[in-house]
Amino acid sequence: MEIITLIDKIYEGAFPADCLNRLTSAIAQAQRQSGYRRKAHWDEKDVVLITYADQFRESEAPTLRTFSRFYQQHLQCFNLVHLLPFFPYSSDDGFSVIDYHRVNAICGEWSDVAELHQHTRLMFDFVCNHISAHSAWFKHYLAQDPGWDDFFISMPPGTDLSAVTRPRTSPLLTPFTLANGETRFIWTTFSADQIDLNFANPEVLLSMINVLLDYLAKGADYVRLDAVGYMWKTPGTSCIHLEKTHQLVKLFRAVANEVAPGTVIITETNVPHKDNISYFGNGSDEAQMVYQFSLPPLLLHAIHYGSSRALKQWAASLDAGNGATTWFNFLASHDGIGLNPLRGILPETEIVSLVRDLALEGALISYKNNPDGTSSPYEINVTYMDALNKKEDSDEVRLQRFMLAHAVLLAFPGVPAVYIQSILGSRNDIEGVKVAGHNRAINREKYAINDIEAALSDTRSLRHKVYHSLSQLILLRTRQPAFHPDNPAEVLESDNSLFILRRRAAKAHEEVLCIYNLSGKEVSWTLPDNRLYRNIAGNAIFDSNHPLTLPPWHFLWLKNAGERQQAE
C-alpha cells in the first residue's frame, strides 16, 4: 500500500503501530462514507475564482449565503471557487487557523458551504504548516497537558539557525511561557501568532490527515497546500523543500487518491521556478498542479517595460506536462506579487528597478531577511490593476492594459484563476492598509453587498467595464478546445513588443493564435502560413498577405479561416 510505504520513508520505520492502525482505520472509514464524485480531469472550461468567504456582507446574513447569491447572479463564468480559509482565525485574514474543523461564525456553517457547493465546485485551503497561537492545540501545549509536549518545535535560543530560509523579517523563534513557568522558544516561520507544527511527531501527522479527510468529506474538489515547502524542519539545513516535505505532499496525494479520486492537490510555494516545479514529483506521485508564481511578475515586467524578451524566453522553456500535471495560473491573489520567482530569470538590478518604479506609483513593498544579514524585496503589495498602470492614466488605458494581461492569463497553458478584486476592477485600498496595519490589506478590501452591486451597475465606472469585459473574455476562453490545459503552447518569434502564443488542439484540429502588443506603440506583424484568420471575439477576417497592425496594449485571439488562395 503506497500510504504505508510513504510513512515508512518519512518516519524511517519508526511510526508506531497504534498510530498506523488509527490512520488506516480513519482512511477506511472515509472511503466507506465517500459519496461525492469529482470531475475526472481538467479542461478548457475550468476557470477558478479566488475569494474570501466573507467578501460581501449584508446585515443579519452569514457571508457565505450572501456570496452564494452573488455568485449565482454575477460570477457563473467561473466553474470552481477557491474559498480562502473560512475557519475561525486570529490573524493574517484567515491563515492563522484556530480550528480547522469549524466554519467561522461570520461566514455561517458547513451547511452554507454545502449550499454553495450545489452551484459550483470548491477549492479549500489546507493550512498545513502552522496553526494559530490561540488554537486549542497550542493551549494544550502551553498547559503541558499529556500528549501535547511534542506537537510544536522548541529550540534553545542559542541554536544556530542561520541556514534556515526566511520568508519574513520577523524572528524565527518566539518565546512562550509554559504552565510551570518555563520559557520555550517556539518555531514560528511566518509570525508569532502562527505556530509551526512538528510533523516529526506521528500524532501531528494523524491530526493533520484527519483535517484532510474532513475537507474531502465536505466536498473539496481542489485542495491547496498553503506554505507547504516549510513543513519539515531539520536544523542545520535550509528547512525548505526538504525531501521529507516532498514525501508528506506525496502522502497527502495518496490519501486523496484513496478516499476521493479526482481530487486535485495544489502546492503553494512562492519560490524560484526550479524549486516550484519540483512539487510535480515524477509527474504522477506528488502535486497535480503547482502555482505558476513566475507568471504574475514576469507579465507585469513585460507590460511595464513594453518588452516580452524575458517572458518569451521563460514561456518557451516550460514543459507542457504529460496530462497528469498542469499549471495553476494566476496574476493576482490575496498576497502580493511575489518576487522570488523572478530570481534566476531576471537580473537583480531589473527586479529592484521594477520595485522602485511601482513604489513611486503607490505600491507597497514587503521584505525578507537573507542568511547574510541583508534584506531583499519579497513581494509587491498592490492590486494588479494599479501594478499595471500609473496614477495619471485614464480609465481607458487602465482597462486596455488590464484586459491585455488577463488575455495572456486565460490563454496560457494550465488552469487560470482570477482573484475577486480583479473581476471587480479594484484599485489600491490605502485606507484598508491603515486600518489593518499590514501591507497585504491593500488588495483585500471587503464590501457591503449593496455598494458593490451599485458600482457594477454604473455603466460609467471602471468596475462595470472590467467586470463585463473580463466575464465575456472568460466565457470566450471556455469555448475554445485549443485552450485545454493539456494542449501544447508554442511561442512564436516576433519583435519584443509582441508576445505571440499558438495553442493547438490536436484531436479537434483547432488552433488559436494569440497576439499581444505589450507596448505603448502601434506594432505590425505578418501572420503565418498563407491563410485567412478570424477574430474569435468579433469575427473580423485578417489576411496573412497583409501585415496585421495592433494598437498599443491590444490583443487578438485568431482562428484559422481557410487557405488564402481558396478564399480569393
Side-chain angles (χ1 to χ4, degrees):
M1 185 179 183
E2 183 183 1
I3 291 171
I4 294 175
T5 300
L6 285 165
I7 287 174
D8 281 341
K9 287 182 180 178
I10 296 166
Y11 295 93
E12 299 173 6
F15 199 76
D18 171 63
C19 288
L20 186 59
N21 288 336
R22 284 186 284 148
L23 178 63
T24 54
S25 294
I27 291 171
Q29 182 178 356
Q31 284 177 305
R32 290 192 296 270
Q33 295 175 344
S34 177
Y36 174 65
R37 292 292 176 264
R38 288 154 176 82
K39 186 174 179 177
H41 197 65
W42 47 75
D43 58 35
E44 68 277 6
K45 294 178 173 55
D46 292 327
V47 183
V48 180
L49 174 72
I50 305 168
T51 185
Y52 285 99
D54 63 346
Q55 189 64 57
F56 306 115
R57 302 191 183 194
E58 58 185 333
S59 59
E60 300 181 4
T63 59
L64 274 166
R65 289 185 203 170
T66 302
F67 176 81
S68 183
R69 188 178 74 249
F70 188 87
Y71 169 82
Q72 293 172 63
Q73 292 173 350
H74 302 288
L75 297 171
Q76 290 210 336
C77 56
F78 301 97
N79 69 351
L80 196 147
V81 173
H82 173 198
L83 289 175
L84 292 160
F86 50 86
F87 319 107
Y89 69 94
S90 53
S91 64
D92 199 17
D93 286 333
F95 285 90
S96 186
V97 178
I98 292 174
D99 187 337
Y100 292 110
H101 297 281
R102 288 195 299 120
V103 175
N104 192 352
I106 195 172
C107 299
E109 303 287 346
W110 280 111
S111 59
D112 297 302
V113 177
E115 193 280 330
L116 176 61
H117 204 203
Q118 295 296 313
H119 308 287
T120 182
R121 293 179 297 147
L122 294 177
M123 174 170 164
F124 289 6
D125 266 289
F126 185 20
V127 186
C128 51
N129 179 71
H130 49 262
I131 194 169
S132 169
H134 295 79
S135 64
W137 292 6
F138 195 57
K139 288 178 180 177
H140 282 305
Y141 176 85
L142 295 179
Q144 297 180 285
D145 291 336
W148 293 90
D149 187 57
D150 250 355
F151 238 70
F152 306 97
I153 304 166
S154 65
M155 288 282 158
T159 306
D160 181 6
L161 298 172
S162 59
V164 175
T165 296
R166 300 294 296 119
R168 299 288 185 272
T169 54
S170 57
L172 179 60
L173 301 179
T174 302
F176 288 91
T177 303
L178 305 186
N180 67 358
E182 176 190 350
T183 297
R184 285 193 187 171
F185 289 81
I186 309 298
W187 202 295
T188 52
T189 296
F190 292 96
S191 79
D193 188 45
Q194 294 167 299
I195 315 299
D196 287 52
L197 293 155
N198 180 19
F199 277 93
N201 179 352
E203 293 292 343
V204 170
L205 179 74
L206 277 175
S207 297
M208 296 306 283
I209 291 290
N210 282 331
V211 172
L212 176 59
L213 292 174
D214 194 19
Y215 294 170
L216 297 177
K218 296 296 198 302
D221 296 87
Y222 287 15
V223 177
R224 173 187 185 268
L225 304 184
D226 175 65
V228 66
Y230 299 92
M231 275 196 301
W232 196 276
K233 281 81 174 175
T234 302
T237 72
S238 66
C239 295
I240 186 171
H241 315 313
L242 300 186
E243 179 57 29
K244 292 197 176 187
T245 289
H246 283 282
Q247 289 167 352
L248 284 170
V249 176
K250 292 176 183 180
L251 178 60
F252 294 154
R253 161 80 178 265
V255 170
N257 286 349
E258 196 80 15
V259 171
T263 302
V264 174
I265 298 294
I266 306 177
T267 50
E268 185 263 343
T269 51
N270 189 355
V271 294
H273 183 73
K274 66 180 180 60
D275 297 316
N276 192 27
I277 62 176
S278 69
Y279 287 87
F280 280 141
N282 67 12
S284 63
D285 66 344
E286 207 163 335
Q288 287 101 331
M289 295 186 194
V290 300
Y291 269 69
Q292 184 66 283
F293 272 106
S294 297
L295 180 61
L298 269 177
L299 183 54
L300 171 61
H301 174 270
I303 296 174
H304 184 80
Y305 292 108
S307 171
S308 63
R309 176 188 52 80
L311 177 66
K312 283 194 296 190
Q313 186 175 3
W314 170 78
S317 73
L318 295 178
D319 189 341
N322 56 7
T325 62
T326 194
W327 307 104
F328 188 84
N329 296 320
F330 70 106
L331 298 182
S333 75
H334 61 288
D335 291 338
I337 300 170
L339 297 171
N340 278 353
L342 287 180
R343 294 184 165 105
I345 299 175
L346 290 179
E348 191 68 18
T349 52
E350 288 192 37
I351 296 173
V352 171
S353 177
L354 180 66
V355 167
R356 183 179 60 247
D357 287 354
L358 266 67
L360 290 172
E361 294 296 332
L364 304 176
I365 312 300
S366 295
Y367 291 83
K368 69 180 181 72
N369 285 341
N370 299 319
D372 63 1
T374 62
S375 62
S376 301
Y378 172 73
E379 68 180 17
I380 304 172
N381 302 111
V382 63
T383 64
Y384 213 77
M385 174 71 75
D386 282 335
L388 290 167
N389 295 288
K390 297 182 178 181
K391 292 176 182 177
E392 70 267 19
D393 286 332
S394 67
D395 279 356
E396 181 183 3
V397 168
R398 285 192 179 93
L399 181 63
Q400 285 174 349
R401 289 201 191 105
F402 184 85
M403 291 305 299
L404 172 71
H406 283 80
V408 175
L409 168 71
L410 292 169
F412 214 74
V415 172
V418 176
Y419 185 39
I420 187 71
Q421 304 294 352
S422 295
I423 191 77
L424 297 178
S426 298
R427 307 287 304 279
N428 288 340
D429 183 15
I430 303 301
E431 190 59 35
V433 174
K434 294 176 184 175
V435 172
H438 60 82
N439 288 357
R440 285 177 167 176
I442 201 168
N443 197 22
R444 295 181 178 182
E445 189 174 358
K446 308 290 175 66
Y447 306 96
I449 191 67
N450 291 338
D451 292 346
I452 198 65
E453 288 185 327
L456 293 179
S457 299
D458 181 358
T459 56
R460 299 164 299 174
S461 73
L462 182 62
R463 287 194 187 279
H464 172 91
K465 293 170 184 174
V466 167
Y467 165 75
H468 284 279
S469 299
L470 187 50
S471 297
Q472 290 167 12
L473 192 64
I474 290 169
L475 289 173
L476 188 61
R477 175 232 154 73
T478 64
R479 301 183 188 124
Q480 313 307 320
F483 287 152
H484 190 295
D486 293 347
N487 286 334
E490 179 186 4
V491 178
L492 301 189
E493 286 296 323
S494 68
D495 179 278
N496 281 341
S497 299
L498 297 172
F499 178 59
I500 302 172
L501 200 64
R502 178 152 55 193
R503 300 294 310 279
R504 283 181 168 149
K507 291 183 180 177
H509 304 292
E510 284 198 22
E511 72 174 47
V512 177
L513 190 63
C514 308
I515 308 167
Y516 307 92
N517 181 2
L518 305 179
S519 74
K521 62 182 182 180
E522 189 177 87
V523 180
S524 295
W525 187 69
T526 301
L527 290 162
D529 301 331
N530 196 37
R531 64 175 60 162
L532 299 177
Y533 291 85
R534 178 175 59 85
N535 179 4
I536 61 176
N539 288 323
I541 298 295
F542 298 88
D543 188 338
S544 63
N545 200 38
H546 303 288
L548 171 71
T549 301
L550 258 69
W553 307 301
H554 276 63
F555 70 93
L556 288 170
W557 285 352
L558 304 179
K559 272 189 174 180
N560 181 11
E563 297 298 321
R564 190 172 61 81
Q565 294 91 336
Q566 295 172 356
E568 290 179 345

